[in-house]
Amino acid sequence: MSESFPTWLCPMAATLTQRRFTGPEWVFERKLDGIRMLAFKNGSEVRLLSRNKLPLTGAYPHVAEAPANLRAHDVVLDGEATGGWGRQGSADYNVFDVLWLEGRDVTGLPLEERQALLRRIPLRLPLGRVPAVDDPEPWEHARREGWEGVIAKRRDAPYEHRRSPHWLKMKCEIEQDLVVGGFTDPQGG
């Protein structure tokens, strides 16, 4: 028996951390600097909503067409819109999670299982998948590449509709040497 298709799902939010770590229980992804967007596809109807429930379908009509063409009858995708002004890669909508698939809420599944489901959904541009960062020091990789940072996600964690300690964002601090100088007019002494 399938569940009733959701009109809204509160997106999971990452918690900022200053810690830098790795471990086999974590997956690391590039932190994108765009607009958080959920894509709801139910049959031929597609709605794009921001993390604050603002409608984005009209702002991204070419992105809205792409989920409409997916083989899945009903699906909810979570990702980041980076097309246009903030393009980061070739996709306009960078998908990193699936919350609903074919009549079923999949948020209770561990991240690894949700990612396996997402890999089975053929995404074509303007949709793209956010790949894992395969580096022993993912935050250093992000710094070298000039990214905003990385997101660490626990492999075994369900999708929580809140700010969660199972998703941690590690921002890259911009470092620059700076010399501050001053001048005072001579006072005759």
Side-chain angles (χ1 to χ4, degrees):
M1 181 176 122
S2 67
E3 302 173 44
S4 177
F5 188 75
T7 57
W8 174 247
L9 292 169
C10 184
M12 188 168 178
T15 301
L16 181 63
T17 183
Q18 299 303 318
R19 292 182 21 232
R20 301 297 184 251
F21 62 88
T22 60
E25 67 275 18
W26 295 92
V27 173
F28 294 86
E29 297 173 353
R30 178 179 179 179
K31 182 181 182 324
L32 299 169
D33 186 20
I35 297 172
R36 183 74 176 273
M37 187 162 63
L38 298 178
F40 293 78
K41 177 198 188 268
N42 189 13
S44 61
E45 178 194 356
V46 174
R47 291 177 302 116
L48 305 177
L49 297 172
S50 76
R51 64 183 171 87
N52 297 321
K53 291 174 93 171
L54 299 174
L56 296 172
T57 309
Y60 294 92
H62 64 293
V63 172
E65 290 173 13
N69 296 321
L70 293 176
R71 287 188 206 138
H73 177 270
D74 50 296
V75 64
V76 178
L77 302 173
D78 189 0
E80 195 90 5
T82 59
W85 59 269
R87 182 173 297 283
Q88 296 166 25
S90 57
D92 289 325
Y93 182 47
N94 301 273
V95 180
F96 50 74
D97 217 328
V98 59
L99 314 182
W100 179 276
L101 186 59
E102 299 294 6
R104 187 171 143 225
D105 178 349
V106 297
T107 59
L109 297 175
L111 174 65
E112 282 190 316
E113 290 182 40
R114 294 193 317 274
Q115 287 181 332
L117 291 173
L118 183 57
R119 281 191 297 274
R120 288 193 284 241
I121 300 171
L123 301 181
R124 292 188 183 89
L125 293 176
L127 306 181
R129 227 174 251 97
V130 177
V133 176
D134 187 23
D135 191 294
E137 292 182 319
W139 58 90
E140 284 298 325
H141 179 93
R143 189 185 57 74
R144 282 191 310 271
E145 296 293 322
W147 298 348
E148 183 179 343
V150 292
I151 304 288
K153 298 179 178 181
R154 281 198 60 101
R155 293 176 186 276
D156 61 352
Y159 190 96
E160 300 174 295
H161 303 285
R162 65 183 182 103
R163 186 165 304 282
S164 172
H166 298 127
W167 282 13
L168 298 172
K169 60 183 165 185
M170 300 175 186
K171 289 191 169 187
C172 293
E173 288 78 29
I174 298 174
E175 297 176 355
Q176 178 71 40
D177 290 333
L178 178 67
V179 176
V180 177
F183 174 79
T184 305
D185 283 327
Q187 302 297 317

